[in-house]
Amino acid sequence: MKILSKILCIVLVVFVVSACGYRGATHSSLIGNIKTVYVEEPKNSHKVPNLDVFLKQAIIKQLNSDPHIKVVSKKSDAQGYIHTDIINYSIYPSVFDKNGLARTYRCMITVNLTLTNKEGKALILNKTLTSFADFDASNDDSAIEVAKRSPQNEVLAKLAVLIREELFINF
């Protein structure tokens, strides 16, 4: 009876783990069994200069760190296409000192992610992802300048991680 209950327990655990889409380190492709991707130029709907360039570089860097996926430079060589649209960019005060003056600001960026296969079928359609970073600045004008130097790139790097994670989710 103990052996039967152990077997039943193991089967139950395997079933539960596989039902939620868990994949071990042996996963070999993105959603839809895509193994090669082309990262399209991000659309910069917010018109902040160079966000699209940094985002594309960060996405490629994240995907290149995974040995199970290959980023290709020609769209015709890809099985899937990653498209991102930067839909929001904001810098606003997030922490105030005892005099009510802003001392910490937040840079927040939101993108929509779409993954399509070679046939044009959307495997992920307009998935909204947001990330942020806090930083110190003395006023609104300096916050904008400070954000351009480092925090916005930090946020874009975090978004690239979120994008990579979203591409491998398979629930």
Side-chain angles (χ1 to χ4, degrees), residues 137-161:
S138 57
N139 59 46
D140 290 352
D141 291 334
S142 71
I144 293 169
E145 290 307 311
V146 171
K148 288 179 186 177
R149 286 192 292 262
S150 175
Q152 75 184 20
N153 292 346
E154 179 185 338
V155 174
L156 293 170
K158 289 178 182 179
L159 278 169
V161 171

Side-chain angles (χ1 to χ4, degrees), residues 5-71:
S5 65
K6 286 182 181 181
I7 291 172
L8 183 59
C9 183
I10 290 171
V11 169
L12 183 61
V13 168
V14 169
F15 176 74
V16 168
V17 169
S18 65
C20 75
Y22 176 79
R23 293 180 290 180
T26 61
H27 71 276
S28 61
S29 61
L30 298 177
I31 293 172
N33 293 320
I34 293 173
K35 296 179 182 175
T36 58
V37 293
Y38 176 78
V39 180
E40 297 178 353
E41 286 296 323
K43 183 178 177 188
N44 190 353
S45 297
H46 206 295
K47 305 297 183 211
V48 174
N50 297 321
L51 287 180
D52 48 344
V53 174
F54 290 120
L55 179 60
K56 182 176 180 176
Q57 290 171 351
I59 293 169
I60 291 171
K61 181 179 178 183
Q62 278 299 314
L63 293 176
N64 280 335
S65 70
D66 191 311
H68 299 99
I69 195 74
K70 182 178 179 187
V71 178

Side-chain angles (χ1 to χ4, degrees), residues 88-162:
N88 187 31
Y89 177 92
S90 58
I91 298 170
Y92 56 89
S94 61
V95 177
F96 299 88
D97 65 17
K98 63 183 179 186
N99 297 321
L101 299 174
R103 66 178 174 109
T104 302
Y105 287 77
R106 176 166 287 174
C107 177
M108 183 177 290
I109 302 173
T110 302
V111 300
N112 278 342
L113 167 69
T114 298
L115 172 67
T116 57
N117 63 15
K118 199 168 194 156
E119 292 76 36
K121 179 183 176 193
L123 304 172
I124 299 173
L125 181 61
N126 290 327
K127 174 74 177 190
T128 302
L129 303 168
T130 301
S131 189
F132 67 89
D134 292 333
F135 60 97
D136 293 333
S138 57
N139 59 46
D140 290 352
D141 291 334
S142 71
I144 293 169
E145 290 307 311
V146 171
K148 288 179 186 177
R149 286 192 292 262
S150 175
Q152 75 184 20
N153 292 346
E154 179 185 338
V155 174
L156 293 170
K158 289 178 182 179
L159 278 169
V161 171
L162 291 175

